[in-house]
Amino acid sequence: MIEIKAVRKSFGAIEVIRGINLTIERGEVLCLIGASGSGKSTLLQCINSLEPIQGGQIVVDGIDVHGKSTDLNKLRQKLGIVFQQYNAFPHLTALENVALAPRVVKKMPRAQALELAREHLDYVGLGARADLRPAKLSGGQQQRLAIARALAMKPDYMLFDEVTSALDPELVGEVLDTMRNLKATGMTMIVVTHDIAFARESGDRVAFFDRGTLCEVGPAKQVINEPREERTRQFLQRVLN
């Protein structure tokens, strides 16, 4: 599991995460919702140790993420992360992009890495586009490429940071379908999203963030349909209306 214990994070004098406690169980899909700047994306980066924390502790499968002796390269193999921006290498084909990390990080032989990459491109529906470079792919296809690239490292957990927010509306569905398929395999997922319908239908739990605090967390349909906190209610009314 992932345990977040009294975590605090600041950028200079600005505290963006204020003592958050949260546990994510194996096999769970947790959706993080809230206004921009509420700390959701920063928390994902803290979980993956892309950002340091100023207080508290984050533990992944018993490993202290920010411990001085923690092997971050080994830890990050447990944690796949997909961002808003696709960040594919433009000079490599889709197949080469997905095969790169297994070859470099896991020292996998080239032929084996390419076979693995093809399997993951097939999984996200890009098998027919394996030999294309990213510039020849649509935004939705590039985002699915990013998911395939993360999955190729065989992570135990997947972190998604607003992966559909930069896409044209007609491309959002194909990415969300890929995430739904991933949920069906039992993958543990933490999803930062502005798509309330996806959070309600595909999340096991929803956590509402407000100004760096965890305002409310509970079963997805309960939090979205019948929020207990007034601040959650106000946010959802504004977003849904």
Side-chain angles (χ1 to χ4, degrees):
M1 67 173 70
I2 297 176
E3 298 172 276
I4 299 164
K5 306 175 181 179
V7 167
R8 294 184 175 276
K9 167 66 185 174
S10 299
F11 292 106
I14 302 173
E15 191 171 35
V16 294
I17 297 178
R18 304 177 180 184
I20 285 177
N21 292 283
L22 193 58
T23 298
I24 300 91
E25 301 287 350
R26 183 64 68 95
E28 178 180 26
V29 176
L30 175 69
C31 292
L32 311 185
I33 65 172
S36 297
S38 59
K40 310 179 304 296
S41 296
T42 300
L43 181 63
L44 283 196
Q45 294 176 41
C46 292
I47 292 172
N48 209 39
S49 197
L50 295 172
E51 285 287 349
I53 58 177
Q54 279 68 54
Q57 187 181 39
I58 299 175
V59 180
V60 175
D61 291 345
I63 301 169
D64 183 352
V65 172
H66 297 273
K68 291 182 179 179
S69 61
T70 298
D71 183 340
L72 288 180
N73 287 330
K74 186 175 181 180
L75 174 72
R76 285 174 179 154
Q77 291 181 40
K78 288 178 168 286
L79 297 159
I81 187 166
V82 183
F83 298 98
Q84 269 186 51
Q85 302 302 322
Y86 327 122
N87 299 321
F89 290 102
H91 64 291
L92 300 179
T93 66
L95 187 69
E96 292 165 337
N97 262 284
V98 177
L100 185 61
R103 289 180 59 201
V104 173
V105 178
K106 292 192 170 183
K107 309 300 181 185
M108 190 177 289
R110 175 181 169 81
Q112 184 181 350
L114 290 174
E115 181 180 354
L116 177 71
R118 197 171 294 279
E119 290 175 6
H120 284 90
L121 286 173
D122 286 341
Y123 177 78
V124 300
L126 292 177
R129 292 170 170 77
D131 296 325
L132 297 181
R133 292 185 177 177
K136 296 294 185 180
L137 301 176
S138 70
Q141 290 167 347
Q142 289 190 58
Q143 196 59 284
R144 284 185 283 150
L145 169 60
I147 294 172
R149 187 175 54 188
L151 291 175
M153 292 299 289
K154 299 191 179 298
D156 296 315
Y157 306 94
M158 284 290 291
L159 314 177
F160 293 94
D161 186 11
E162 298 183 9
V163 294
T164 61
S165 63
L167 299 179
D168 292 334
E170 65 267 24
L171 301 178
V172 168
E174 63 190 56
V175 177
L176 295 182
D177 284 344
T178 299
M179 293 168 67
R180 291 185 186 100
N181 292 339
L182 192 54
K183 171 187 166 107
T185 70
M187 175 64 76
T188 310
M189 299 159 61
I190 305 177
V191 183
V192 173
T193 183
H194 290 297
D195 192 318
I196 302 301
F198 175 82
R200 176 170 47 210
E201 300 306 321
S202 297
D204 295 306
R205 286 191 301 156
V206 164
F208 170 61
F209 280 63
D210 182 44
R211 300 175 187 176
T213 65
L214 181 56
C215 185
E216 181 170 357
V217 61
K221 289 182 173 61
Q222 175 264 301
V223 172
I224 292 173
N225 294 339
E226 300 177 4
R228 295 191 175 100
E229 299 296 328
E230 179 60 27
R231 183 67 190 90
T232 314
R233 190 175 298 112
Q234 292 172 352
F235 170 79
L236 289 168
Q237 286 176 345
R238 187 173 71 248
V239 171
L240 295 175
N241 293 334

